[in-house]
Amino acid sequence: ESPCCVKNRSRFWNELGMCRMNQAESDLAQTCFENALQITPDYTCAQYNLATFAMQSGDIPGAIRIYDGILNDHPDHFNTLFNAGICYGHTEQKDAAIARLTRAAQVNPHHGHAQFLAGESLLQAGRAIDALTYFEKAHALNHGHFESTQGYAISLLEAQDYKQTLIVCDQALLTYGPAVLPLQVKGDALLALNRIEEAIQCHIDLIHLDLDARDFLVSRIQNMAETQPTTHNQYISIVLDKYPEYKAILGAGLKHN
């Protein structure tokens, strides 16, 4: 009961809770964090640890409630913003997830995973242009992270920066090897630049990699027939002239208007 012990008792409970977590004694850890908060209700560290315990235990609504309470008092608490954004993403509350993840990325601009998750949340909400800045940073920070490169390429394509899209797709293909999505995005960028024969070769590479990509290509080619009939006719002519063996594979996509 010395003054030092009384003053720091909530901290002791919090530290004991962390020890319990490290020993996989989850129920005891929760009790420790709760004891810390009974002594000091506004103890942010214990609040955060209790929320994270709830998150890891699958109690996402409980975690959100505590995280948002922390953010009411500390709106730029990075770890809380980060975890709260993930929790809101799990509950399909996209706007809330975006608000917290983009703020986390702004608070800590050198945290590559925060940049990636901010971009990913925006991309999933159909806001690829807004996602571009975050993916660009994530791509620079997350060396060897395929998903960051992939998101960057998609956002560049949506922003109609086709030349940079090709550069990033080629980087991905050289770094990670043949993959479906970089080839899809690269093909779209080549078509946008009217580099039709190169796009066809890209599509052929895609078929060789994954025959199931045929449905994607047929859909793309049919859309081209509706929106870019001149390009569509050029595409057909080149396939029939130089790659006739792919006529059957591409099927309905190669019908003339």
Side-chain angles (χ1 to χ4, degrees):
E1 296 299 326
S2 72
C4 178
C5 288
V6 172
K7 180 179 178 181
N8 290 285
R9 190 164 291 161
S10 57
R11 180 183 175 187
F12 293 156
W13 275 118
N14 182 68
E15 295 301 321
L16 181 58
M18 294 300 295
C19 293
R20 295 296 192 189
M21 287 289 288
N22 291 335
Q23 295 296 317
E25 297 173 333
S26 299
D27 291 341
L28 292 174
Q30 181 180 9
T31 299
C32 290
F33 297 138
E34 290 171 345
N35 286 347
L37 291 171
Q38 285 179 1
I39 298 168
T40 310
D42 60 351
Y43 186 16
T44 302
C45 192
Q47 290 174 334
Y48 173 79
N49 289 333
L50 186 61
T52 303
F53 170 82
M55 177 184 178
Q56 294 173 348
S57 301
D59 181 11
I60 302 301
I64 286 174
R65 177 179 54 78
I66 301 171
Y67 283 137
D68 281 352
I70 296 171
L71 292 174
N72 284 336
D73 296 324
H74 306 283
D76 288 340
H77 192 280
F78 171 75
N79 288 335
T80 299
L81 287 165
F82 186 88
N83 283 359
I86 293 173
C87 286
Y88 274 112
H90 282 313
T91 61
E92 298 296 323
Q93 298 181 67
K94 292 183 179 180
D95 289 343
I98 288 170
R100 285 153 184 79
L101 290 171
T102 53
R103 185 57 192 159
Q106 292 159 9
V107 169
N108 191 346
H110 302 295
H111 194 285
H113 197 45
Q115 301 299 326
F116 167 72
L117 288 180
E120 186 72 6
S121 66
L122 288 162
L123 189 63
Q124 290 178 356
R127 296 169 57 184
I129 304 299
D130 295 331
L132 178 56
T133 299
Y134 298 101
F135 277 130
E136 184 176 13
K137 291 180 181 177
H139 176 66
L141 291 166
N142 299 336
H143 301 294
H145 188 237
F146 176 73
E147 286 76 10
S148 293
T149 304
Q150 181 174 276
Y152 187 31
I154 293 171
S155 297
L156 285 166
L157 180 69
E158 292 296 320
Q160 300 182 4
D161 188 347
Y162 302 122
K163 292 183 178 179
Q164 186 63 26
T165 301
L166 292 178
I167 290 171
V168 174
C169 286
D170 284 339
Q171 286 177 347
L173 293 168
L174 287 170
T175 303
Y176 310 107
V180 169
L181 192 58
L183 285 171
Q184 290 177 345
V185 176
K186 181 180 179 180
D188 286 347
L190 287 167
L191 286 172
L193 292 169
N194 203 38
R195 293 162 57 176
I196 300 171
E197 187 166 349
E198 292 175 78
I200 292 171
Q201 185 59 60
C202 186
H203 289 168
I204 290 171
D205 291 342
L206 188 55
I207 292 171
H208 285 159
L209 180 65
D210 184 0
L211 190 59
D212 289 338
R214 174 189 173 279
D215 291 339
F216 163 82
L217 291 176
V218 169
S219 175
R220 277 287 193 271
I221 297 167
Q222 288 175 332
N223 178 261
M224 191 196 312
E226 297 175 3
T227 60
Q228 300 170 285
T230 301
T231 302
H232 180 257
N233 290 334
Q234 289 177 300
Y235 190 102
I236 292 174
S237 297
I238 293 172
V239 169
L240 296 180
D241 180 42
K242 296 188 176 182
Y243 310 100
E245 65 273 24
Y246 291 100
K247 179 181 178 182
I249 294 176
L250 297 176
L254 296 181
K255 290 182 179 178
H256 283 281
N257 289 338

